[in-house]
Amino acid sequence: MELRFANDPHRMNWLRPDYPYAKVSLPEPFENPGGAPKLDAQVSTTFVGDELRTEITLTNLSDRPFFTRVDDIGISLPLEDRYDDPQAIGTRRCNAQVFCGGSSSFVLALRMGGEAPHLGLVLTEGSLSAYSIERDATRESNDRGCFILHPSPLVLEPGEQTRVSWSIFPCLDKKDFFVQAGRRSRFVRAEWDRHVLFVGETARLRIEASFPPSQVTVNGVPAQREPDGSFTVEFDVNEPGEREMVVRAGDRTVHTRILVKDRFDDVLERRCDFIARHQQYDGSIDNLRGAFLTYDNEEDHRYYNHVNDYNGGRERVGMGILLAQYLCAVRDGIIEVTDRLVPLLVRESLDKYAAYVRRELIDEESGTSFNDMGRDGSYKRLYNAPWYASFFLELHRLDGNPEDVVVAYRIIARFYEEGGGRFYPIEHPISALMNALEALGLPSELAAARENFVRHADAIATVGTLYPPSEVNYEQSIVAPAADILLQVYLLTGEEKFLKAAREQIKILDQFNGVQPDYHLREVAVRHWDGHWFGKRRTYGDTFPHYWSALTGNVFSAYAAIANDPEYARRADASLRGVLPLIFDDGRAACAYVYPLLINGQRAQYFDPYANDQDWALVFTLRSLHR
């Protein structure tokens, strides 16, 4: 089956051909495994112009009441959300944002290149409670797989029927999607002003229905009717934890979730304390002494493996950057300290880590960065260098030692010598390095760094949206670095061509971010492989959140400041808050939340037990406080 929209110049088929559309899986009977299901499913699909209408009729064939669980029934939705063909990514692939939250469930699939028409799906009958993923693991990070939509649990009398139906249609953008959804269904849109909050803040929920409901309730409490016909409810949040709010408008429901965190200062302090006490190696292995390592929250011990994503280098430097930032924030009065012993402990831990980095991971004279302890450079990875340059710049901001800036400069110079000028590095400290070099009065280094940065931005602008593949063929953390480098070089040079090129990248970046009213999804960028590479469970599947999603928030924040755009500032704040669920209020953390109900039949919906690389989430948040 194919689904193409008439006014699409690229004639994209939105349905991938290797999975069936609207195939219904039914539960086997308990008493006769492998026997015929006691439910019957009939699927009807019709086209009305560009609109595809699908109706699934479920019938209880038995002579007893039939109760279902959420994972008993699955309906396949094979959208083209994959990074398999570089030539097709911009025009014939999509980022699918799935919301299974009751009778106003929906899917918004945005073409990766940002060009309309996009695809919208809105439920017209029935209710959905979750989705699962079926994917081919041999394709590793480059294929999100097939979506399996799960109807909400049912109770059917003998012979009783019920239906799950939806409409699929073209739309222009996110705003137009919600307009179109309201035209095709009794749609209820629930929008929080914040989805991740801190204790003491107020959450405001706005509800719009495409029909005139006599009353709207939220967890049974009537909402306030506004003059424009919408409804609102405000909540004062004084206790941390997840809150699920069920919106009811007539016969329609929306299940929406927010998360309340403890005070940010307390979360930060406990996390830094945990890192210093539990994630720094202090054993008998000389090469590892002082390293920050992965922590297994199930078994309560540190873990090391020379395999890249669990070793003593790479992304783990985020812990070192965080501790340096924390001490700067304490010194500058940006955060309030509860336990005065924590900054002392963190200072001692940071000194040990800095000694480890200088000894094992960085050649300070040449600027060479290594992949693991023992100055192991057997695996060359350009991502590492900018992170360690950032670490030395944070040490300089903390202690004022000029040599740390020189080391950072050498690391970046070596990065460019090794081909960095055509690479898309995550977290490139352009502005921080230029400001530090200028403050120290190092004109030759300043000129050389500027030349490298400008040449790099020119190369990215020339490539545009024809991105080169990296560790993943295409991803949000290729687009975000492109936008970030262009914005930083625009601030460095004032040349409008870089700002124009950055806007092109921001348009693409926007296609990844979710619009769903759930703190796992709202303004969280689509990523679907990090749980495998960094987690204990080694599971592929949607990670909502994963901390690199906040790269989008960093870009939005920088752009908001340049353009004086309050909407981008609001979205930046939401994106940065969106990754904080990975940092637990007791000081522990998780490298990813694997969101789908099932992945290839295995239960998911869990925070991975490994605290590994997620502390960049707090790095981003602290940076936003300094702005």
Side-chain angles (χ1 to χ4, degrees):
M1 181 172 170
E2 293 187 348
L3 175 57
R4 304 180 194 270
F5 297 132
N7 64 341
D8 182 359
H10 305 291
R11 298 297 295 152
M12 173 178 175
N13 178 16
W14 291 83
L15 301 178
R16 55 187 296 167
D18 51 345
Y19 291 94
Y21 171 73
K23 179 182 178 181
V24 182
S25 61
L26 297 169
E28 293 182 346
F30 279 110
E31 67 275 19
N32 183 24
K38 293 186 176 181
L39 279 183
D40 176 66
Q42 297 294 322
V43 181
S44 169
T45 297
T46 57
F47 283 93
V48 181
D50 262 355
E51 183 179 10
L52 174 64
R53 298 174 181 172
T54 296
E55 179 180 285
I56 297 103
T57 303
L58 299 166
T59 306
N60 179 5
L61 300 178
S62 73
D63 59 358
R64 300 291 180 90
F66 200 101
F67 287 63
T68 69
R69 300 166 298 191
V70 70
D71 61 344
D72 276 341
I73 303 171
I75 309 168
S76 63
L77 181 65
L79 296 175
E80 280 283 16
D81 193 338
R82 49 180 171 163
Y83 312 142
D84 57 324
D85 182 356
Q87 301 304 313
I89 284 171
T91 56
R92 297 191 298 280
R93 298 292 182 265
C94 66
N95 295 306
Q97 302 169 12
V98 184
F99 178 62
C100 296
S103 56
S104 285
S105 296
F106 63 83
V107 178
L108 174 57
L110 297 168
R111 195 193 309 262
M112 289 181 183
E115 184 179 356
H118 305 287
L119 177 146
L121 179 156
V122 65
L123 206 65
T124 53
E125 289 183 275
S127 176
L128 300 176
S129 285
Y131 75 90
S132 294
I133 293 288
E134 293 289 336
R135 61 187 288 168
D136 182 352
T138 65
R139 296 173 183 173
E140 296 190 326
S141 306
N142 291 307
D143 193 331
R144 193 173 173 188
C146 180
F147 301 99
I148 309 297
L149 308 180
H150 296 293
S152 301
L154 301 169
V155 178
L156 296 176
E157 294 287 342
E160 185 180 1
Q161 291 186 337
T162 191
R163 283 187 294 273
V164 176
S165 305
W166 61 65
S167 167
I168 295 177
F169 51 89
C171 56
L172 297 176
D173 52 28
K174 296 177 181 179
K175 181 178 180 181
D176 184 54
F177 164 74
F178 287 109
V179 172
Q180 300 260 14
R183 290 174 182 166
R184 288 169 167 80
S185 71
R186 290 166 59 81
F187 188 71
V188 178
R189 184 181 183 187
E191 296 286 306
W192 293 94
D193 60 345
R194 297 187 182 100
H195 289 75
V196 177
L197 301 95
F198 297 107
V199 165
E201 293 183 332
T202 298
R204 187 173 190 269
L205 177 62
R206 176 184 173 87
I207 303 151
E208 296 178 357
S210 65
F211 57 94
S214 58
Q215 186 183 57
V216 172
T217 63
V218 181
N219 286 0
V221 178
Q224 174 70 40
R225 186 188 295 269
E226 301 295 338
D228 64 358
S230 67
F231 294 79
T232 59
V233 176
E234 288 192 354
F235 297 92
D236 293 323
V237 289
N238 298 311
E239 295 290 335
E242 181 184 286
R243 306 283 195 280
E244 180 172 349
M245 305 292 186
V246 181
V247 177
R248 297 189 183 277
D251 61 342
R252 309 298 283 176
T253 59
V254 183
H255 293 252
T256 179
R257 290 185 294 184
I258 60 174
L259 179 68
V260 182
K261 301 288 293 175
D262 215 339
R263 285 191 335 131
F264 175 73
D265 293 8
D266 293 332
V267 173
L268 175 64
E269 181 176 304
R270 292 171 196 149
R271 179 62 191 145
C272 290
D273 180 75
F274 189 93
I275 291 170
R277 292 182 186 276
H278 300 289
Q279 293 197 237
Q280 187 162 49
Y281 181 77
D282 58 358
S284 60
I285 303 169
D286 291 339
N287 285 127
L288 269 182
R289 192 168 296 117
F292 290 132
L293 301 179
T294 299
Y295 192 83
D296 188 326
N297 287 299
E298 283 184 327
E299 301 174 15
D300 277 321
H301 63 80
R302 291 180 293 272
Y303 177 74
Y304 167 87
N305 191 307
H306 70 281
V307 173
N308 294 324
D309 298 314
Y310 308 95
N311 70 17
R314 294 166 69 106
E315 282 84 347
R316 264 68 60 200
V317 70
M319 286 183 265
I321 292 173
L322 175 63
L323 296 196
Q325 279 188 326
Y326 166 75
L327 292 172
C328 286
V330 170
R331 178 197 63 199
D332 298 340
I334 293 174
I335 61 170
E336 179 182 298
V337 175
T338 300
D339 184 346
R340 293 291 171 183
L341 294 178
V342 172
L344 300 176
L345 176 67
V346 168
R347 176 77 242 199
E348 181 182 358
S349 177
L350 179 62
D351 289 343
K352 292 177 182 177
Y353 182 68
Y356 167 76
V357 169
R358 297 178 197 275
R359 186 183 73 240
E360 305 290 339
L361 298 176
I362 296 294
D363 183 327
E364 295 181 74
E365 294 302 315
S366 68
T368 302
S369 57
F370 300 95
N371 198 53
D372 193 10
M373 59 93 169
R375 298 199 170 187
D376 182 353
S378 57
Y379 186 98
K380 299 295 183 183
R381 191 184 194 230
L382 286 172
Y383 282 123
N384 296 338
W387 298 336
Y388 284 97
S390 296
F391 175 66
F392 279 95
L393 289 169
E394 288 297 337
L395 290 180
H396 171 259
R397 190 161 70 91
L398 178 63
D399 295 327
N401 183 355
E403 185 59 28
D404 288 332
V405 177
V406 174
V407 173
Y409 166 78
R410 290 172 182 162
I411 293 171
I412 295 300
R414 184 60 178 242
F415 166 80
Y416 282 108
E417 289 170 6
E418 295 179 346
R422 295 195 175 276
F423 189 67
Y424 289 64
I426 299 172
E427 285 293 286
H428 204 25
I430 295 173
S431 297
L433 180 59
M434 293 299 288
N435 292 339
L437 290 171
E438 185 174 20
L440 289 178
L442 298 173
S444 61
E445 288 84 353
L446 191 68
R450 178 189 173 96
E451 182 179 354
N452 277 326
F453 292 145
V454 172
R455 189 184 300 119
H456 195 174
D458 272 326
I460 287 174
T462 300
V463 169
T465 59
L466 300 175
Y467 308 100
S470 189
E471 292 182 347
V472 181
N473 286 343
Y474 174 74
E475 55 173 313
Q476 169 254 1
S477 51
I478 293 176
V479 183
D484 183 47
I485 289 168
L486 290 165
L487 289 173
Q488 289 190 75
V489 173
Y490 167 73
L491 291 173
L492 177 63
T493 65
E495 294 186 43
E496 286 292 325
K497 67 177 183 179
F498 295 122
L499 182 57
K500 180 181 178 181
R503 288 192 176 111
E504 182 182 19
Q505 301 294 333
I506 290 170
K507 178 183 177 182
I508 305 298
L509 194 58
D510 186 59
Q511 310 311 304
F512 290 93
N513 269 35
V515 297
Q516 306 96 312
D518 185 315
Y519 73 88
H520 283 283
L521 305 167
R522 183 69 173 200
E523 294 293 0
V524 175
V526 171
R527 301 181 67 83
H528 50 82
W529 56 89
D530 304 284
H532 171 81
W533 296 110
F534 293 90
K536 183 178 183 179
R537 297 283 185 266
R538 302 281 290 171
T539 304
Y540 282 111
D542 299 357
T543 49
F544 294 134
H546 181 268
Y547 67 89
W548 282 142
S549 288
L551 292 171
T552 299
N554 287 335
V555 169
F556 286 179
S557 180
Y559 182 72
I562 291 169
N564 192 26
D565 190 321
E567 177 63 12
Y568 270 102
R570 182 195 63 77
R571 294 185 64 194
D573 181 65
S575 174
L576 295 172
R577 287 177 181 238
V579 299
L580 291 179
L582 297 172
I583 311 298
F584 305 148
D585 289 352
D586 65 357
R588 294 176 183 265
C591 62
Y593 183 84
V594 184
Y595 182 84
L597 178 68
L598 304 170
I599 298 172
N600 289 352
Q602 298 300 309
R603 190 66 181 241
Q605 291 187 336
Y606 66 88
F607 283 100
D608 193 273
Y610 274 174
N612 189 342
D613 54 336
Q614 67 293 312
D615 292 287
W616 291 94
L618 289 171
V619 169
F620 301 145
T621 306
L622 272 175
R623 179 187 300 159
S624 72
L625 295 178
H626 280 284
R627 288 195 177 113

